[in-house]
Amino acid sequence: MTAFVAVGGVIAAPIAAQAAEEPSIMVGVTEVANERVVFAIEGTGFGDIQALPGQTEPHAYFKLNEVGSDLSEVAQDDTSISASIAEGGTLSDELSVPIGELDASKSYEVISWPSRSFPTEENVYARTAVTIDWDALFPSDEAAVPSFTAEATEFADERVDFAIEGSGFGDVTALPGQTEPHAYFTLIEVDADLSEVGQADTAISASIAEDGTLSDVLEVPADDLDATKSYEVISWPSRSFPSDDNLYARTAVTIDWDALFPEEPSEPAEPSEPAEPEEPVGPTFAAEATEVANERVDFAIEGSGFGDVTALPGQTEPHVYFKLNEVGSDLSEVAQDDTSISAEVAEDGTITDVLPVPAGELDSAKSYEVISWPSRSFPTEENVYARADVTIDWDALFPESDPSEPAEPSEPAEPGEPAEPTDPAEPTEPAEPTEPAEPTDPAEPTDPTEPSEPAEPSEPAEPTEPAEPSEPAEPTEPTDPAEPTGPAEPAEPTDPAEPTDPVEPTEPAEPTDPAEPTDPAEPTEPAAPSEPAAPTATAEPTQETAIELTDGSGNPLDGVAQGGDVTFRIAPVEAGTEFAVTVHSDPVTLPTAVGDADGVATSSWTVPADFPVGDHTVRFVSDTDTYELTFTVLAADAPGGGSGLAPTGSGPATELLAGAGIMTILCGAVLILVRRRVVSASAR
């Protein structure tokens, strides 16, 4: 950009003194596509022009001007050059004009006038019209328009792979968190409403190369396709939903339906016979129940015919979901936190696994079945692989007990009866308060009413035997009952033997001293054996490796807001195991997680403020295993919420099975406390 300023007024060349050879110019035009036009100026006849003060040689101004425009509108910041004039009056220079100053609908000329002045009709040295090749300057943008092809390859009864080859995506830029730009692709029915495309639809996010090309494969399960419909593949911007306004491109596809769904061989003469071989091909399974009293039911699943199930992205082998469901219930009510397992499918299409269901989730008044459906989805009537009715032995799961027996602990109050001297034998019953110490066997906290037989909690019916103390003929032997306190600290419970003093009918009131056996209640400290409640750790099947969403203090989160901090925690894992951690759909790489001595690996992340709101997937990948969790990113001003999908290799909610186990332990702890209070009350 050359400035031309009048110094001390306009100095006009004395036109009258010009030599016989008038200044003239020739201009060659070179277009630089989408950038500028270069005007190569060759001039002659400028010999009479003198150098101005401060110049070592004379100069002349040149600029591009619209033909017929008012020269008085030429401004100091217009693009121009000041060309030096050689001794022979010739000059040679280039004037480069940006395309932003050009208009294809106008005509232009190059003009020349004296240095250090503005052009006028009187002082112009020379002018010449120029021709600009507008097509060369503004080439067609057709090559930059995104386009792609999608060639289908059919895999019988499994899926269709669409090989996508695209070009013209050079203008797509990488979004925050992306290392390269991406574009989404999905298969839809021709003329379908784009607003119905959902986040759960099968789609890919293809990376775009520097030259605007892309190459990827879109895999669509056969179950998602209908031979009566026509389909097309569409492409639209990453991190958005498709609309008629933002589509990059779309192309119809041709699917060989006969190759995808080959006809089964049949013998017209006996059409029923060919059907028989099909039975073992379809998925089927049996679920045999094993009841663990008052804890859970384990369903041993043995399945076959799952050979057509394929591993999903991130899985090293195919998986299938299993859960217990009430017969006839609405499958749409199945929730993410329901107890379930993700069973691995062997190469021969067989499955062997165990589905543990806590007793607290079962109702003996209902009928149940086990259902199976595809991994990373919710069950529907259309996608259920198979279902099997199950038989639960409710008596074995919930053994009967006499609810009236809890009143027995109040019998120790009967020692007041010894006030009747005529029946002193009854004071031997106070020796029974030593039996409340038997609650020190909390292995069966669910049977707190059976303090009389703690040694064999499995036989609660025997508590009726305390009636035997009615044989006071041998009051000196109450020391023997002290032995049942053995599980605690039997040495101390022998003190209650003092109630033998009531043998003296004259002082029957003393049997009230046996209230002291409340001290033996101290043996309830062996409630520490409440550790046996650990058998409720039958929930151990839930100790499958799982990912959890937590805050910086390790507290579980339901979701994380834009701009918020989150720690992804996976456990249990082997110490030293390294996991590559990424957030999808557009991969965001997080710090590597390494298993510590406690079997826990974590990776923390600050969610970008502009990260898309909605469900996303975090993936932990080691050398041998892959685990996933779907979590929710909320708007920056929204409250937290939403839990993730189950990791690969576990059920859609096995993360909460551990929670069920914890609840069982808590319930046991509450029962133990209740039992202590009952024992204490009876001792008083």
Side-chain angles (χ1 to χ4, degrees):
M1 189 79 70
T2 303
F4 31 93
V5 182
V7 179
V10 176
I11 303 176
I15 298 177
Q18 288 181 356
E21 185 180 3
E22 295 291 332
S24 64
I25 56 176
M26 293 185 298
V27 180
V29 181
T30 301
E31 296 83 4
V32 180
N34 298 311
E35 292 187 10
R36 65 188 185 279
V37 178
V38 178
F39 299 95
I41 300 172
E42 298 292 334
T44 60
F46 289 83
D48 290 339
I49 298 177
Q50 302 297 315
L52 299 179
Q55 294 179 339
T56 57
E57 62 277 317
H59 287 72
Y61 280 147
F62 290 86
K63 78 174 295 287
L64 188 71
N65 201 56
E66 182 183 353
V67 173
S69 65
D70 187 352
L71 295 181
S72 66
E73 296 179 355
V74 173
Q76 190 170 8
D77 58 355
D78 287 355
T79 299
S80 63
I81 61 172
S82 178
S84 62
I85 302 171
E87 291 184 358
T90 62
L91 56 84
S92 180
D93 212 330
E94 288 186 351
L95 170 64
S96 180
V97 180
I99 61 171
E101 299 179 10
L102 300 171
D103 185 344
S105 64
K106 298 179 179 179
S107 299
Y108 293 94
E109 63 180 352
V110 173
I111 62 174
S112 174
W113 73 99
S115 180
R116 297 183 183 174
S117 69
F118 286 95
T120 66
E121 293 297 336
E122 291 73 26
N123 71 352
V124 168
Y125 289 138
R127 62 204 317 162
T128 184
V130 294
T131 300
I132 300 173
D133 186 343
W134 299 107
D135 292 336
L137 183 59
F138 300 111
S140 173
D141 291 333
E142 291 180 359
V145 175
S147 64
F148 66 90
T149 59
E151 183 176 353
T153 300
E154 298 79 15
F155 293 82
D157 298 316
E158 290 187 11
R159 68 183 190 279
V160 178
D161 287 355
F162 296 94
I164 296 173
E165 298 292 334
S167 62
F169 290 81
D171 290 338
V172 180
T173 58
L175 300 179
Q178 294 179 338
T179 56
E180 62 279 317
H182 287 72
Y184 280 150
F185 291 82
T186 191
L187 185 75
I188 66 170
E189 184 181 353
V190 173
D191 295 330
D193 186 352
L194 295 180
S195 66
E196 295 179 356
V197 174
Q199 191 169 11
D201 290 353
T202 300
I204 60 171
S205 179
S207 62
I208 300 171
E210 291 183 358
D211 62 355
T213 62
L214 54 83
S215 181
D216 213 324
V217 176
L218 170 65
E219 297 182 2
V220 180
D223 291 343
D224 292 350
L225 300 171
D226 185 345
T228 64
K229 298 179 179 179
S230 298
Y231 293 92
E232 64 178 349
V233 174
I234 61 173
S235 174
W236 72 98
S238 181
R239 297 183 185 172
S240 68
F241 288 95
S243 68
D244 288 327
D245 300 320
N246 72 352
L247 283 189
Y248 288 137
R250 64 203 312 163
T251 184
V253 295
T254 301
I255 301 173
D256 186 341
W257 298 108
D258 292 336
L260 182 61
F261 301 120
E263 295 182 0
E264 295 293 338
S266 61
E267 297 179 9
E270 297 179 359
S272 60
E273 294 182 1
E276 295 180 0
E278 296 178 3
E279 294 181 1
V281 175
T284 182
F285 67 90
E288 183 176 352
T290 299
E291 298 79 8
V292 180
N294 298 312
E295 291 186 10
R296 69 184 190 280
V297 178
D298 289 341
F299 296 94
I301 295 173
E302 297 290 336
S304 62
F306 289 85
D308 289 339
V309 179
T310 58
L312 299 179
Q315 294 180 338
T316 56
E317 61 281 315
H319 285 72
V320 174
Y321 281 149
F322 288 88
K323 79 172 294 288
L324 188 71
N325 204 54
E326 183 181 354
V327 173
S329 64
D330 187 351
L331 294 182
S332 66
E333 297 178 354
V334 172
Q336 192 169 9
D337 57 355
D338 288 353
T339 299
S340 64
I341 61 171
S342 179
E344 177 181 330
V345 181
E347 291 184 1
D348 60 356
T350 61
I351 291 175
T352 299
D353 213 325
V354 176
L355 168 64
V357 179
E361 297 181 9
L362 300 171
D363 184 345
S364 61
K366 297 180 180 180
S367 298
Y368 292 94
E369 64 180 353
V370 174
I371 62 173
S372 173
W373 74 98
S375 180
R376 297 185 186 169
S377 68
F378 286 93
T380 66
E381 294 297 336
E382 290 73 29
N383 72 351
V384 167
Y385 287 134
R387 56 209 318 161
D389 291 332
V390 295
T391 301
I392 301 173
D393 186 341
W394 298 108
D395 293 335
L397 181 60
F398 302 116
E400 294 183 357
S401 60
D402 185 355
S404 64
E405 290 179 4
E408 291 182 356
S410 64
E411 291 181 0
E414 293 180 0
E417 295 178 0
E420 299 178 5
T422 60
D423 193 5
E426 294 182 0
T428 60
E429 294 182 2
E432 294 180 2
T434 62
E435 295 179 4
E438 295 172 1
T440 58
D441 188 358
E444 292 289 338
T446 58
D447 294 327
T449 61
E450 299 171 12
S452 63
E453 291 290 335
E456 296 181 10
S458 62
E459 297 179 12
E462 295 181 8
T464 58
E465 293 180 1
E468 293 179 6
S470 63
E471 298 178 2
E474 297 179 6
T476 60
E477 296 183 6
T479 57
D480 293 336
E483 295 178 3
T485 63
E489 296 180 22
E492 295 180 8
T494 57
D495 295 340
E498 294 177 6
T500 57
D501 295 339
V503 174
E504 299 177 10
T506 59
E507 296 180 5
E510 293 181 5
T512 59
D513 294 338
E516 294 179 357
T518 58
D519 294 337
E522 294 179 357
T524 59
E525 292 180 358
S530 61
E531 293 180 359
T536 59
T538 50
E540 286 182 358
T542 64
Q543 290 300 309
E544 296 182 9
T545 301
I547 303 172
E548 183 182 15
L549 203 68
T550 67
D551 60 17
S553 300
N555 301 314
L557 296 176
D558 290 331
V560 60
Q562 292 172 321
D565 294 330
V566 61
T567 296
F568 296 107
R569 177 183 186 275
I570 183 170
V573 299
E574 291 188 7
T577 301
E578 293 188 0
F579 293 89
V581 186
T582 52
V583 172
H584 300 261
S585 58
D586 295 324
V588 178
T589 301
L590 274 58
T592 298
V594 181
D596 59 19
D598 296 326
V600 178
T602 61
S603 181
S604 298
W605 180 46
T606 298
V607 181
D610 60 350
F611 200 76
V613 171
D615 290 342
H616 298 274
T617 301
V618 63
R619 180 176 299 165
F620 280 65
V621 180
S622 69
D623 290 340
T624 58
D625 298 292
T626 297
Y627 304 92
E628 293 185 352
L629 171 70
T630 294
F631 66 99
T632 302
V633 173
L634 306 171
D637 57 352
S643 62
L645 287 176
T648 302
S650 60
T654 52
E655 298 94 335
L656 297 186
L657 280 175
I662 292 173
M663 288 303 296
T664 302
I665 294 174
L666 292 176
C667 290
V670 172
L671 289 174
I672 291 172
L673 292 175
V674 172
R675 189 172 182 182
R676 287 182 179 177
R677 292 176 181 174
V678 171
V679 171
S680 298
S682 63
R684 296 189 184 92

